Amino acid sequence: MIKMEKFCQSCGMPLNDEVLGTNADGSKNEDYCMYCYKDGKFTNDCTMDEMIEFCTQFVDEVNKKMPKPMTKDEYKQMMRQYFPTLKRWKK
């Protein structure tokens, strides 16, 4: 069986056991990374647009895994399309 890669439902970061956020009871949260979700709460109270602005600073890190590097504007555009599909930002 193919294991689908999971992504943080707040920032879109790929998830693995090392970066999972935590629930209020200390258990691992399968939906969010430790940077977005800790002790059962979001670590920052922000809008989707603010999260996109914050994530833009990591474009160089993202580009390391991409066949063709993106500019910050291209990355922002991609996130504007992708983020509304994430659990935290779905209307």
Side-chain angles (χ1 to χ4, degrees), residues 1-88:
M1 179 157 153
I2 297 170
K3 188 176 179 210
M4 290 294 293
E5 189 167 19
K6 287 185 158 190
F7 296 91
C8 176
Q9 294 298 299
S10 175
C11 72
M13 178 175 138
L15 290 177
N16 60 47
D17 288 344
E18 281 113 62
V19 298
L20 288 178
T22 54
N23 296 312
D25 64 4
S27 64
K28 295 286 186 185
N29 184 289
E30 298 284 328
D31 289 328
Y32 301 105
C33 75
M34 63 187 183
Y35 306 110
C36 290
Y37 202 75
K38 186 175 181 190
D39 301 327
K41 297 190 289 283
F42 288 110
T43 56
N44 55 3
D45 184 24
C46 64
T47 66
M48 186 177 77
D49 287 334
E50 288 167 338
M51 179 62 81
I52 288 170
E53 283 300 318
F54 176 77
C55 290
T56 302
Q57 69 183 308
F58 302 110
V59 70
D60 292 338
E61 194 59 37
V62 171
N63 277 335
K64 289 178 187 173
K65 298 179 177 137
M66 300 299 262
K68 177 180 172 284
M70 289 183 280
T71 66
K72 281 190 173 184
D73 285 338
E74 289 170 328
Y75 189 49
K76 268 188 204 176
Q77 193 56 42
M78 187 189 79
M79 287 187 287
R80 283 193 187 106
Q81 291 174 347
Y82 177 56
F83 276 35
T85 69
L86 300 175
K87 190 184 280 187
R88 183 174 184 184

